[in-house]
Amino acid sequence: MKLLHVDSSALGTHSVTRELGRALVESWTRTNPGTEVVYHDLAAQPLPHWAPVADASDPAARAGNAMLDEFLAADVVVIGAPMYNFSIPSTLKAWIDRVAVAGKTFRYGANGPEGLAGGKRVIIVSARGGIYSEGPAEAMDFQEDYLRKVFGFLGVTDVEVVRAEGVNLSPESRQRAVAAAHASIAGERRLAA
């Protein structure tokens, strides 16, 4: 079993997605001993934003190919994805641009696009300062819906979200949201391979 864990929050030790992602991966590896974990911190080591590279020896091309290979090899992908300005961090978008590759993770055919990266599970660890899953701000959620659609486009049908939302409304709201997300991690069947 191979698990790919990707963090993208720039908040370091103050990051809710880092805390929850770490807890999820720890629970996963306790439940599934022998799981090989590959970790990337996209804030500490950001990928350059996508640009055509003519030379395969270029460091950006090598890094992109390595990210693609790790994604394709993974059985489970855990993505720490905080909401920044209604969407995702640009570092996570740069990673997505490396794994959404025509001919590798999707292709265009006579019936339109076809995902080639199915058979894996993606767990999105989401944190939001406000409430975007319902109410007046729901229409401004370009984070979780975007990620579900991207991975669906790549053929991944098993996409789950662990969410802590309202974390910036008050200290009490943050505590409740994080506790509820931890309880979700501890109580979910998602940890079984």
Side-chain angles (χ1 to χ4, degrees), residues 34-70:
T35 299
E36 177 186 331
V37 178
V38 174
Y39 176 75
H40 289 288
D41 183 340
L42 299 176
Q45 295 181 313
L47 293 164
H49 288 277
W50 188 88
V53 178
D55 184 355
S57 67
D58 181 278
R62 287 196 314 269
N65 290 336
M67 297 293 162
L68 174 61
D69 291 343
E70 290 168 354

Side-chain angles (χ1 to χ4, degrees), residues 107-114:
R107 68 176 166 221
Y108 294 106
N111 297 320
E114 176 188 355

